[in-house]
Structure formats: C-alpha cells, structure tokens
C-alpha cells in the first residue's frame, strides 16, 4: 500500500457495546467511506422471525428466511442517534430491532451456519467494493480476511453494560443495569463459543481495550492506523 493512500477496507470487530458503532461511524464520516454495521442484518432476521412467531430453534426455517428476506439498509433519514435506516418492506424497524426480545434471541439466529452464509456473502460483496468501514464479530476473521486494517475493540463487561444502559436511557427508555450486564455476558458467551465464525480477534488484528481510554483517543489512534 502506498503511504498516503488510506486503508480501503477497515474491519472493526468486538463484543456487544464495545464502542464499534461510535468509532466506525466517525471513521467512515472522516474518511468519506461507507459505514456498514453487519449486526443489523442478524437483528433484522431475528425481528422478522419473532414477528411471525417462527420457532427460532428450527434452523431450516430460519435459514430459509435469511436466504429470502429483503432487508434494506439506507442512509439515516432521522437525526435520532441511528447510524442507518433499516427497512423491511416499507416498515422502518431501526429501533424495533434493538428491543430486548431481539437482544435475547439474535445469538441463536446468528449461530446457524446457513444464516451466516447467506448474510456473509452479501456483506462480502459490499465490502469488496472498498472504501468501507465494516463492523461486526467476524469481519476480520471470515467476511473480509483481506481487510487492510483490522481492529478488535474490547472493554470489560461492566463498562460495556454501563454504556448500553446510558444509550437506552438517553433515548428515554427504561433500563436495568444488572439485567443488561447479565444478558450481555450471556450473548457474548454464545457469540464466542459458537462453531461457525465465533467472536475472536483475527491474528493480525490490533486489539484495543477502551476501558480507560476515551472515545476520542480510540478514534485518533485508529485513524492514524488507517492513514
Ligand atoms: O450492538 P451490539 O454490539 O450489541 O450488537 P450487534 O452488533 O447489533 O450484533 C447483534 C448480534 O448479531 C451479535 O450478538 C451476534 O450474535 C450477531 N452478529 C454476528 O454474529 N456477526 C456479525 N458480523 C455481526 C453481528
């Protein structure tokens, strides 16, 4: 890579609420790149399955859903903290997909190999166009192993639960810190122990623990890497 050309594919992975979205959006804005949060795709499939009372343990049905679902991701139409609009048909499900019921079930859905295959293929196709900041759990390891920059953003469960609590209450919704912490630990456990594409840093990822570093510092150091 020539020295002055910024990295074109930036992969950001890490556990729930580790700050990937804040960092990723800022990097994408600064570099003029597409911000692509892959978690919304797994959330959208889970949301549709719950809406239709599908049996989430029925892998074949959920996989068929992932293969045919029309999920549309567009630039944000509202300035309410969203990174993008997520549409299913005509319905804006951007915040519905962040509900407790989706949080509690998304890791079951995202562990299915057929679901991962269907969604990863779409993610990879978009990522390979370049000029992209792609955020998820397996971007550096599976979706785009050729990424120019791989960052694994980590933080303690307590710190991450605190951030998620603040995020939810800032939207005016009620939240229970202990409950958030418990559910987050459970979800991370399922994500990191699943057989297919488990959450883990790529061997060539830069690992950043943001417990004691504020968001500005994390942003500056990753921007430096990208340049
Ligand atoms: O916002 P938060 O970090 O809590 O979660 P998210 O990024 O929206 O991801 C929701 C869930 O989708 C995760 O807990 C994973 O189970 C799954 N996911 C995944 O398996 N692979 C990805 N590349 C992105 C998300």
């Amino acid at each position: 890579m020539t020295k002055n050309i910024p990295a074109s594919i930036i992969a950001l992975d890490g556990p729930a609420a580790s700050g990937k979205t804040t960092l990723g959006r800022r990097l994408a804005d600064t570099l003029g790149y597409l911000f692509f949060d892959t978690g919304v795709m797994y959330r959208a499939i889970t949301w549709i399955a719950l809406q239709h009372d599908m049996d989430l343990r029925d892998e074949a049905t959920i996989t068929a859903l992932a293969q045919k679902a029309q999920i549309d991701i567009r630039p944000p139409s509202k300035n309410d903290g969203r990174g993008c609009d997520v549409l299913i048909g005509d319905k804006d499900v951007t915040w519905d997909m962040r509900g407790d019921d989706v949080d509690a079930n998304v890791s079951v859905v995202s562990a299915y190999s057929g679901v991962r295959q269907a969604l990863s293929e779409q993610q990879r196709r978009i990522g390979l166009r370049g000029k992209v900041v792609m955020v998820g759990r397996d971007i550096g390891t599976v979706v785009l192993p050729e990424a120019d920059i791989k960052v694994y953003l980590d933080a303690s469960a307590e710190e991450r639960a605190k951030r998620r609590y603040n995020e939810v209450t800032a939207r005016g919704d009620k939240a229970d810190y202990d409950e958030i912490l418990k559910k987050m630990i459970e979800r991370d456990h399922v994500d990191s122990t699943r057989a297919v594409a488990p959450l883990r840093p790529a061997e060539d990822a830069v690992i950043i623990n943001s417990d004691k570093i504020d968001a500005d510092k994390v942003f500056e150091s990753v921007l430096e890497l990208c340049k």
Side-chain angles (χ1 to χ4, degrees):
M1 194 172 50
T2 317
K3 219 175 170 201
N4 294 321
I5 300 176
S8 183
I9 301 180
I10 301 165
L12 292 186
D13 291 301
S18 54
K20 305 180 299 284
T21 306
T22 311
L23 171 65
R25 275 160 69 173
R26 213 167 147 192
L27 279 175
D29 281 353
T30 307
L31 296 165
Y33 286 9
L34 174 75
F35 171 71
F36 187 175
D37 175 2
T38 58
V40 300
M41 300 183 87
Y42 294 95
R43 285 179 179 274
I45 301 299
T46 309
W47 185 84
I48 300 172
L50 289 169
Q51 286 295 304
H52 291 89
D53 277 330
M54 291 178 176
D55 180 358
L56 292 166
R57 290 159 306 179
D58 179 350
E59 183 168 352
T61 301
I62 303 297
T63 300
L65 170 66
Q67 285 163 347
K68 68 167 201 285
Q70 297 289 327
I71 309 163
D72 203 359
I73 300 169
R74 299 202 187 150
S77 61
K78 288 186 191 143
N79 187 12
D80 60 358
R82 65 183 62 198
C84 56
D85 283 5
V86 183
L87 304 171
I88 293 168
D90 293 338
K91 190 171 162 52
D92 181 338
V93 298
T94 310
W95 291 123
D96 298 315
M97 289 186 337
R98 301 262 157 209
D100 290 344
D101 50 348
V102 172
D103 268 7
N105 290 290
V106 64
S107 291
V108 172
V109 169
S110 71
Y112 293 145
S113 61
V115 171
R116 298 208 72 80
Q117 195 183 341
L119 301 188
S120 307
E121 269 171 25
Q122 300 185 44
Q123 294 161 13
R124 183 165 167 76
R125 187 173 40 78
I126 294 167
L128 283 176
R129 295 181 195 147
K131 295 199 166 194
V132 65
V133 179
M134 201 176 281
V135 170
R137 301 290 188 286
D138 60 340
I139 310 305
T141 50
V142 175
V143 178
L144 292 165
E146 62 273 83
D148 300 295
I149 300 287
K150 299 180 186 178
V151 174
Y152 186 90
L153 202 54
D154 210 350
S156 67
E158 289 73 18
E159 177 63 30
R160 293 185 288 112
K162 197 171 90 190
R163 291 179 195 165
R164 184 53 49 92
Y165 174 87
N166 291 339
E167 199 179 290
V168 175
T169 51
R171 285 205 302 267
D173 294 333
K174 282 217 180 87
D176 175 337
Y177 171 84
D178 291 329
E179 198 58 23
I180 290 178
L181 177 63
K182 188 172 144 244
K183 296 261 171 65
M184 193 173 270
I185 291 172
E186 277 169 20
R187 183 149 64 92
D188 289 343
H189 176 73
V190 179
D191 287 347
S192 45
T193 54
R194 68 184 173 217
V196 190
L199 166 68
R200 62 172 173 79
E203 273 174 20
D204 48 351
V206 175
I207 300 176
I208 299 178
N209 184 308
S210 69
D211 266 2
K212 297 205 166 57
I213 318 175
D214 69 29
D216 286 345
K217 287 251 164 54
V218 174
F219 167 71
E220 279 155 24
S221 53
V222 177
L223 186 62
E224 205 47 48
L225 284 176
C226 296
K227 285 177 172 167

